[in-house]
Amino acid sequence: MKNIILIGFMGVGKGSVAREVVKNSDYIAIDTDDLIESMENKTIKKVFVEDGEAHFRALEKKVANWLQKSVKNTLISTGGGFYKQKNIKDIGIVVLLDSPFDKIIKRIKAHPNAAKKLKKRPLLADLQKAEELYNERLPEYKALADIVIDVTNKSALECTKELLKKVKKYV
Ligand code: S3P
């Protein structure tokens, strides 16, 4: 089994798909934001507020180097900006979860914990700026991806089945 790296915009459902992959395969999942939170012993939001985005990106780089060197046979879900790490393609098969910006926001707002989900993501504080960021990133996400899964109006289980089928070609 090769590593699978889930990339995609904030709120697209990387965490939900990761959990479903674990339920339906032999993969164990780790998440780059979770690793950073435990390394720093603070939330991502606090890292942004207290230490700044540049420090957060440096931590992502440290995580990327560790993943490449030390992690095998794992499903890795990532923060929405992690794809900028230069070695991402050396870590594993890159899978993009894709959906239009308005559908992503609708998905977050429909969640019972919507307010919390928005609050914990500093880059979603201003939705107009977030949409600009989305438009800037979308072509870069697509250029990097080995596999693209359109997650719009699909359950995490449906996305997972599609992912596991498409990944077979690479492992
Ligand atoms: C970010 C996405 C977040 C988190 C941080 C920055 C980004 O992760 O890493 O707030 O640059 O898109 P999620 O994609 O899990 O929300």
Side-chain angles (χ1 to χ4, degrees), residues 56-124:
F56 174 74
R57 300 299 172 198
L59 293 168
E60 285 192 315
K61 186 171 182 191
K62 190 169 181 181
V63 168
N65 290 337
W66 172 75
L67 289 169
Q68 186 185 348
K69 254 194 250 148
S70 311
V71 176
K72 305 265 176 298
N73 310 324
T74 299
L75 186 283
I76 301 159
S77 57
T78 64
F82 189 86
Y83 76 100
K84 288 198 189 262
Q85 296 306 315
K86 292 200 168 42
N87 63 338
I88 190 157
K89 299 281 278 189
D90 300 317
I91 300 174
I93 309 156
V94 178
V95 178
L96 169 64
L97 301 188
D98 184 35
S99 192
F101 182 75
D102 58 323
K103 294 279 168 25
I104 294 177
I105 299 305
K106 219 172 139 188
R107 179 181 179 275
I108 298 177
K109 288 189 170 163
H111 197 278
N113 276 333
K116 201 172 154 204
K117 287 196 168 280
L118 284 168
K119 217 173 140 199
K120 74 169 199 180
R121 295 179 163 103
L123 299 178
L124 283 183

Side-chain angles (χ1 to χ4, degrees), residues 10 14 33 44 48 56-57 78-81 121-123 137:
M10 291 170 272
K14 290 163 288 183
D33 281 347
I44 299 298
F48 267 73
F56 174 74
R57 300 299 172 198
T78 64
R121 295 179 163 103
L123 299 178
R137 284 180 177 176

